[in-house]
Amino acid sequence: MKWTICAAAALLSAPLLGSWQAPFAATPVVAQNAGAPAPAGAERRPTGPGAAKRAARVPGKKQPPGTAEQQQPPPRVPFTAAEDAASSIPGMPDVRFWADATEDFKAALPKEPGPWLILTSGGSDGAFGAGMLCGLSAAGKRPDYAVVTGVSTGALMSPFAFAGPRYDEALRKAYTTITAADVFEAGNSTGESFVNSWPLKETIAKQMTAELLNDIAAEHRRGRRLFVVTTDLDSARSVVWNMGAIAAHGGDDALNLFRSVLLASASVPGGFPPVMIDVEANGKRFQEMHVDGGLGGQFFVASPQLMASTSDYRLPATQLYILVNTDLQREFNVVDRFAPKILTQSISMAVPVDTRLMLDRTYVAAKRSGVGFNVATIPASFNAPSRGPFDSDYMGALFQTGYEQGRSAAPFSAELPPDLGAPVQPSRIEKTGAQ
């Protein structure tokens, strides 16, 4: 299997496995010796490929935020369901809505129809979608999408996709040069997760610059829309963030919120710490707990009620383009009689099923709306081995596969991918370390 989704597997596997093959919807967390305490006085900041596993010791230097030596998180300010339902971002009341709030969704859409780009979950397999976008640019086949939506790894690439081909090189680097040390650090004593995501927070801060934010704001003012989904764990509801509206507010507060939303959308609960977001309701200030947007679905097109087979809603798009970063092929593994391995394999089956069901519903909604349905998936012929999380060789090969598909005569299919009755594929993971 490749690195795609599973918070539950993270919870069970991280402290137990030496080399763990866990599927994540968001950016994956795969830690060697995760949960092991750090030596006293040691700074555990990673310094290069594999350093997140080695926990480099550099005594005397200031510790980065969120290391294993951090204090326990403070108690939360209590609030009610009614207060959470009425909450908004201080100074930015127009930047988000509940995914199931149909009227708010409709009001946030562009005034004029156009093509929509939908970016799914998939962890490091987002290299496929990144390659596709760059290949489409090279072939002159990439329009200015009226709407771009992203969940999890799709959220991380969505700002580049929205801002246009001038950011293709940044997108390529984001998915071909990153290492595990840029995403997580093994061990976290806060009680919120098994690993620390401060490296990913810093990576996002480097990539999401003030210049990029200004370009996104300019496109938002033109009428285009960029939506990213997180999960409000307190309310168990998906939240859609209008990222262009955040960018349009400008200033440090907007930039910090923009980055926090991306981090939250890629934060697998239990694997990564949740992202706490400051809100207010009726003069009361408190924090909501936001985690991976993939909990509510592997991608987002419209409010669930509007996507239902019983709905008569017509999507105001001219074309739907869906980039699937999750491998939909079944893979064969002889599963050890060990709970984490059993759970990991089980969840690795569930994610493609969920993705396929969502694709089926989207196909029906597109046909009902008279909208072109276009989907791109990782080809079954792709067989590069992955030696671990964020293997640069693997991601580079997958990026190139997406790039060539994007440049091809038919980068998208108008039909649903073949069903799960297709022949089972052998695992592409090369086993390393303890199994």
Side-chain angles (χ1 to χ4, degrees):
M1 84 191 63
K2 299 200 303 298
W3 318 97
T4 47
I5 184 173
C6 178
L11 290 170
L12 289 178
S13 304
L16 300 175
L17 300 181
S19 177
W20 167 46
Q21 292 143 14
F24 277 87
T27 305
V29 180
V30 184
Q32 190 170 22
N33 299 326
E43 180 187 10
R44 304 182 63 249
R45 179 175 183 136
T47 57
K53 299 177 182 178
R54 297 192 301 270
R57 301 177 60 182
V58 188
K61 296 182 71 176
K62 183 179 179 180
Q63 296 174 1
T67 60
E69 294 80 8
Q70 182 179 345
Q71 297 289 326
Q72 291 292 320
R76 301 183 65 192
V77 174
F79 56 94
T80 66
E83 288 171 331
D84 195 30
S87 66
S88 63
I89 304 299
M92 290 182 271
D94 59 337
V95 299
R96 67 180 194 167
F97 53 89
W98 298 108
D100 55 15
T102 58
E103 296 307 312
D104 290 342
F105 167 76
K106 293 176 184 178
L109 292 175
K111 295 181 179 179
E112 299 296 330
W116 292 13
L117 175 66
I118 313 300
L119 303 170
T120 80
S121 65
S124 59
D125 282 356
F128 171 75
M132 271 284 298
L133 288 168
C134 292
L136 289 169
S137 296
K141 299 177 182 178
R142 184 169 155 191
D144 285 338
Y145 302 102
V147 173
V148 176
T149 76
V151 172
S152 204
T153 198
L156 297 179
M157 74 174 68
S158 67
F160 301 119
F162 184 77
R166 64 174 292 198
Y167 285 95
D168 280 1
E169 180 60 16
L171 179 60
R172 184 193 66 79
K173 289 182 178 179
Y175 279 91
T176 60
T177 65
I178 196 171
T179 69
D182 300 308
V183 178
F184 68 93
E185 179 187 58
N188 192 337
S189 65
T190 65
E192 296 177 307
S193 62
F194 279 105
V195 304
N196 204 304
S197 62
W198 70 260
L200 179 59
K201 182 178 181 179
E202 289 194 353
T203 298
I204 291 172
K206 293 174 183 177
Q207 294 174 346
M208 301 300 136
T209 63
E211 179 184 5
L212 175 56
L213 205 72
N214 289 336
D215 288 342
I216 290 172
E219 294 303 312
H220 175 79
R221 295 187 183 100
R222 286 181 53 205
R224 299 173 62 218
R225 295 293 179 262
L226 171 60
F227 298 142
V228 163
V229 181
T230 65
T231 302
D232 180 343
L233 206 55
D234 299 306
S235 66
R237 295 171 76 183
S238 295
V239 177
V240 181
W241 296 83
N242 190 334
M243 304 299 278
I246 296 175
H249 276 276
D252 290 342
D253 288 346
L255 182 58
N256 291 333
L257 178 62
F258 193 98
R259 293 166 172 171
S260 293
V261 169
L262 295 180
L263 179 62
S265 188
S267 292
V268 179
F272 282 178
V275 175
M276 308 306 294
I277 294 182
D278 295 326
V279 298
E280 63 180 2
N282 303 320
K284 178 180 179 178
R285 295 208 172 194
F286 53 94
Q287 289 186 318
E288 296 172 344
M289 181 180 289
H290 284 256
V291 296
D292 185 356
L295 294 184
Q298 305 309 309
F299 58 89
F300 177 79
V301 178
S303 299
Q305 304 93 315
L306 303 179
M307 296 294 289
S309 58
T310 54
S311 172
D312 60 0
Y313 179 70
R314 296 175 65 87
L315 296 168
T318 55
Q319 297 282 333
L320 288 181
Y321 294 96
I322 307 170
L323 290 185
V324 179
N325 298 302
T326 298
D327 188 3
L328 299 180
Q329 303 299 315
R330 291 192 299 174
E331 295 178 346
F332 175 81
N333 286 285
V334 176
V335 181
D336 294 340
R337 298 178 66 175
F338 183 43
K341 292 295 188 75
I342 294 169
L343 181 58
T344 297
Q345 177 74 352
S346 300
I347 300 300
S348 75
M349 292 174 57
V351 174
V353 171
D354 183 36
T355 302
R356 287 177 178 277
L357 288 173
M358 293 187 69
L359 286 172
D360 183 77
R361 179 159 290 187
T362 303
Y363 181 85
V364 172
K367 296 301 181 184
R368 181 180 68 224
S369 305
V371 173
F373 176 87
N374 308 272
V375 61
T377 59
I378 299 171
S381 59
F382 179 75
N383 61 3
S386 173
R387 296 172 178 82
F390 301 98
D391 177 347
S392 59
D393 291 338
Y394 170 82
M395 293 179 70
L398 187 52
F399 177 92
Q400 189 62 32
T401 296
Y403 182 83
E404 294 302 331
Q405 185 167 326
R407 291 182 59 202
S408 69
F412 293 92
S413 172
E415 302 298 328
L416 289 168
D419 61 33
L420 289 176
V424 174
Q425 302 295 318
S427 174
R428 296 172 189 150
I429 294 291
E430 288 189 359
K431 294 188 176 183
T432 56
Q435 294 296 321

